[in-house]
Amino acid sequence: MGIFRRPRESSAATPPAISDFWEWWAQARPTIEASLAASGAGSEDAGGPAPGEGLSAEAIEELSRRVHRIHPDLQWEIGGADDRTPSLTVTGGGDPELRGLAERWFRAAPSGAAAGGWTFHPARRPDLEMLSQDLVLGDHEFDLEYVRLGMRADADRARVHITAYHPDFLFVSEEQQVAVALHVLDWALGEDDVARWIGEVSIATEAPIDSLPPSMLSAVVEQIAEPFSEPAWLTGEGRTPRGHPARLGARFPLHRQDYPLCDLHVAITVPYANANPDRLPVEPSAGALRAFEKKLTKLGDRAVLAVRETGDGLRVFHLYADPDSGVIAELDQLAAGWSEGKAKVASTADPGWKALAPYQP
């Protein structure tokens, strides 16, 4: 059982580059709109279906520079061709460590009249129309009408495993095969739902048995997701480092995308006074621990309880918190009110939620 403590870290404030971006955007938007109107097309960052289409080279370079000042691995896309509402997406490309940064960029965006008719997104949105278009990658053009997906539901892990097929996969590199599959999944579900519900993605050069068009993927995902509309907990037993029995509870499934600002891992270590010979809690301590946990579950989207570990006279609650919400002060106060010993609160930045990996099925 991995009961541990970590040093306190200060809040990771929103980078100044985000404010600078929006100040620049307010000045640059008319030029970008004029460029798009002149070309009659949208644009995407390099690596997208039509890199650079619609914007001048200078506009692409400056927009990329501004986005990469926020973080060099962020990607951007401008959409809205064919008389659709113009949109700007800045995304971490499915990297959980960048999801919070993209969300902070999004929440700082102008709204109402100040948005000038634009919409802004921190992750790629589903776009089923793109599934009937051609995708150009390098020197190859893929007709996406021919894409088929083998879909294997894994109810135990709340995932759908994908086998992607296109007849042209016989003639292109592995990198291009994977790029086609990832674009199709993003357009079929949206980037956040891909991260929530898609498991392993493999490539096939022959059509999988019972494969379906990508437009059917959302229906399969809905069937997997439906049993988890309410929070559930997985429980298990093990041993503490001292060899005593330990109990574990982990919320499942718990998705990073549902708490995009919660970049801070918080461990609250609570001692309990009343235990059985195995050093597990009994009443009245058991009831006090339940009451303490109930308070932790009422923090809204400012913090989410992910794991609880119990053994050797201690219960450790693992949470993920928004460092800029003020919730850490509330957790400190809650810990200070614990009456069965000195409760400790330790936190560390963990935007990728890596500390949860050992507890996932």
Side-chain angles (χ1 to χ4, degrees), residues 251-271:
R251 181 167 167 170
F252 178 80
L254 180 59
H255 297 125
R256 172 75 177 91
Q257 295 70 28
D258 294 332
Y259 299 90
L261 298 181
C262 291
D263 292 337
L264 195 67
H265 173 259
V266 183
I268 306 177
T269 303
V270 180

Side-chain angles (χ1 to χ4, degrees), residues 25 42 73 119 124 129 144 205 212 226 279 295 329 339 353:
W25 175 261
D73 293 331
T119 59
R124 293 184 178 95
E129 290 185 20
L144 297 184
T205 54
L212 296 170
E226 194 277 332
R279 304 200 66 191
K295 295 176 182 177
S339 62
W353 290 26

Side-chain angles (χ1 to χ4, degrees), residues 60-315:
I60 291 173
E61 182 179 357
E62 182 63 14
L63 184 50
S64 295
R65 188 177 74 84
R66 295 283 177 168
V67 169
H68 294 157
R69 281 184 60 193
I70 302 172
H71 194 284
D73 293 331
L74 287 174
Q75 305 166 20
W76 63 268
E77 297 177 359
I78 286 180
D82 303 324
D83 299 323
R84 291 191 289 176
T85 301
S87 65
L88 174 62
T89 299
V90 168
T91 168
D95 184 343
E97 295 204 17
L98 297 177
R99 185 60 182 84
L101 198 57
E103 186 73 17
R104 288 178 172 84
W105 169 88
F106 165 70
R107 297 198 184 197
S111 59
W118 284 72
T119 59
F120 305 101
H121 308 290
R124 293 184 178 95
R125 310 280 287 179
D127 189 347
L128 297 182
E129 290 185 20
M130 293 299 297
L131 298 176
S132 60
Q133 305 298 317
D134 292 341
L135 173 61
V136 179
L137 292 175
D139 58 357
H140 199 93
E141 184 173 325
F142 297 87
D143 184 345
L144 297 184
E145 293 275 13
Y146 290 98
V147 173
R148 291 294 180 269
L149 300 179
M151 309 177 194
R152 180 170 62 86
D154 185 345
D156 291 338
R157 292 176 174 81
R159 295 278 177 170
V160 178
H161 303 299
I162 298 295
T163 302
Y165 165 78
H166 190 285
D168 290 1
F169 283 174
L170 283 169
F171 315 113
V172 300
S173 68
E174 181 179 350
E175 182 181 1
Q176 288 174 303
Q177 295 170 352
V178 172
V180 171
L182 295 181
H183 275 99
V184 166
L185 292 175
D186 281 347
W187 287 325
L189 286 182
E191 185 180 298
D192 279 347
D193 270 349
V194 170
R196 288 183 181 101
W197 305 111
I198 299 302
E200 299 173 1
V201 179
S202 58
I203 301 299
T205 54
E206 295 183 4
I209 297 175
D210 298 329
S211 59
L212 296 170
S215 59
M216 298 298 296
L217 179 57
S218 61
V220 176
V221 166
E222 285 178 7
Q223 294 178 13
I224 282 290
E226 194 277 332
F228 300 101
S229 57
E230 295 294 331
W233 285 81
L234 299 180
T235 58
E237 297 183 353
R239 292 282 171 178
T240 72
R242 297 180 180 179
H244 297 121
R247 292 177 182 169
L248 172 72
R251 181 167 167 170
F252 178 80
L254 180 59
H255 297 125
R256 172 75 177 91
Q257 295 70 28
D258 294 332
Y259 299 90
L261 298 181
C262 291
D263 292 337
L264 195 67
H265 173 259
V266 183
I268 306 177
T269 303
V270 180
Y272 47 86
N274 301 280
N276 62 19
D278 287 330
R279 304 200 66 191
L280 294 171
V282 296
E283 298 297 344
S285 293
L289 289 168
R290 288 193 297 270
F292 189 92
E293 179 174 330
K294 188 173 182 180
K295 295 176 182 177
L296 296 178
T297 63
K298 294 183 176 181
L299 298 172
D301 60 2
R302 297 178 300 150
V304 57
L305 177 61
V307 173
R308 57 176 180 259
E309 296 178 291
T310 308
D312 277 336
L314 298 173
R315 175 164 293 177

